[in-house]
Amino acid sequence: MAAIPFDAALLDGYRAVQESGAGPMSLERLPQVRAEDAAEVPTLDELRRGGRFEVTSRSVAGASGTSGAELLICTPAAVSGPAASRPAIYFLHGGGYVTGDPRHLFFIGPLLDEAERLGASLISVGYRLAPEHPHPAPLDDVHAGLLWTVEHAAELGLDADRIVVAGTSAGGGLAAALSLSVRDTGGPRLAGQLLMCPMLDDRNDSASAHQMDGVDVWDRSWNGFGWKSLLGSACGGPDVSPYAAPARATDLSGLPPAFIDVGSAETLRDEAVAFADRIWRAGGSAELHVWSGGYHTFDLVVPDAAISRAAWQARRSWLERVLAA
């Protein structure tokens, strides 16, 4: 099966990513990858963007007193203060469950722009990472953080009925898992779920996974490493929880409205499309975009490309609609 060609405007970015991170992923390589990520994490002062944002960090205890979630709360200064009743974007970072940081501008930079435009708070969540902390640790952390956010909504100046959970890659899968979890545990209610190139299926065996193997910047090697780190020996087997791999869920009814997007030329294409289709079959609301010639996180790698601007415009339109509902 021939690989799908990339959008021409994305090629320089693709080559740069391949030059900096080509080759299979492994436990031996993981410390290097984490160190490279950590070197790019900005300070809180840098995140304040010259006073345009108020930025604070809170630690929320997880299950059984574990270290739990770190909440990075970024609020546009123009709408700050407890008297406001702002929407919130509750964001879960990518990194294949094995790396990443809630402050990393690669993930949250565009969302800071959206938060400022919407007058919303961006709450970027740090969760424990695999393989040191396998499932359910990441989900426990982000669930505890969401409960804390809703409980303290008045203090934070938030409207608890206008919280969208969002995530990229592993964070997108975790956002889908969190939506399932809060549905099944009785709340809190979410206004929507924004799933950007989400990791949803631990089986790593779709047509697109094989088609783009060794080509996409996030291929079967990296995807498989992330899932095996999260799930251990259970990965790919019959007993994986839908709260770990949302593609395993048998019931997708009763979920908050979803926005799902993915590139046509990426490993995760087919599982994202299938997830949207199953939400529709269950009578739910899902808006699906498949960006022609897009590889994994293309919009973050080459943000100025026309296809990337179109992707953010579509997300912006959806956010405006669900937060106004």
Side-chain angles (χ1 to χ4, degrees):
M1 185 186 304
I4 292 177
F6 299 135
D7 183 289
L10 304 177
L11 288 175
D12 286 346
Y14 172 78
R15 295 184 187 108
V17 172
Q18 290 296 81
E19 288 171 6
S20 64
M25 186 57 175
S26 65
L27 277 174
E28 292 73 25
R29 189 178 179 183
L30 182 57
Q32 174 194 343
V33 172
R34 287 178 172 173
E36 291 168 353
D37 280 352
E40 297 181 2
V41 171
T43 65
L44 292 187
D45 192 55
E46 289 172 308
L47 290 171
R48 292 187 178 101
R49 293 186 167 185
R52 287 161 52 199
F53 282 85
E54 294 184 1
V55 180
T56 59
S57 182
R58 302 283 186 97
S59 294
V60 177
S64 305
T66 57
S67 57
E70 174 193 352
L71 304 184
L72 182 74
I73 305 169
C74 306
T75 301
V79 296
S80 64
S85 186
R86 299 180 300 276
I89 301 170
Y90 187 83
F91 178 70
L92 314 179
H93 66 78
Y97 289 108
V98 298
T99 188
D101 188 284
R103 297 165 292 173
H104 204 303
L105 283 172
F106 179 76
F107 291 113
I108 71 168
L111 285 168
L112 284 171
D113 295 337
E114 296 306 314
E116 188 170 34
R117 191 187 55 77
L118 291 166
S121 287
L122 172 65
I123 302 175
S124 185
V125 187
Y127 49 88
R128 288 172 292 167
L129 299 174
E132 297 90 341
H133 304 286
H135 176 76
L139 179 62
D140 286 347
D141 291 349
V142 301
H143 198 155
L146 178 64
L147 293 177
W148 183 92
T149 298
V150 171
E151 181 181 347
H152 293 83
E155 169 193 336
L156 298 171
L158 301 179
D159 181 347
D161 291 325
R162 292 196 296 156
I163 298 175
V164 167
V165 61
T168 301
S169 193
L174 194 53
L178 180 59
S179 296
L180 287 164
S181 179
V182 298
R183 178 199 67 181
D184 295 344
T185 56
R189 174 189 173 274
L190 293 169
Q193 50 179 330
L194 175 61
L195 313 180
M196 297 171 281
C197 55
M199 283 177 66
L200 298 166
D201 197 336
D202 63 295
R203 289 163 290 199
N204 196 25
D205 197 34
S206 68
S208 59
H210 287 281
Q211 184 180 29
M212 302 308 297
D213 190 20
V215 180
D216 187 16
V217 298
W218 183 258
D219 69 359
R220 289 189 76 223
S221 164
W222 288 73
N223 197 47
F225 178 82
W227 281 116
K228 288 172 185 174
S229 297
L230 183 71
L231 297 172
S233 61
C235 182
D239 300 319
V240 171
S241 168
Y243 305 130
R248 300 296 196 114
T250 57
D251 178 11
L252 295 184
S253 64
L255 292 172
F259 179 102
I260 303 171
D261 71 347
V262 69
S264 69
E266 71 167 293
T267 298
L268 306 181
R269 179 195 68 215
D270 291 352
E271 61 201 68
V273 171
F275 199 70
D277 181 65
R278 292 181 57 222
I279 291 174
W280 295 324
R281 290 172 184 264
S285 171
E287 180 171 325
L288 172 67
H289 295 263
V290 181
W291 300 104
S292 181
Y295 48 77
H296 192 62
T297 67
F298 68 88
D299 57 295
L300 304 178
V301 175
V302 192
D304 292 332
I307 185 177
S308 303
R309 294 196 303 270
W312 278 103
Q313 179 57 49
R315 295 164 191 161
R316 181 175 304 131
S317 173
W318 179 85
L319 280 168
E320 288 175 343
R321 284 178 276 129
V322 298
L323 292 175

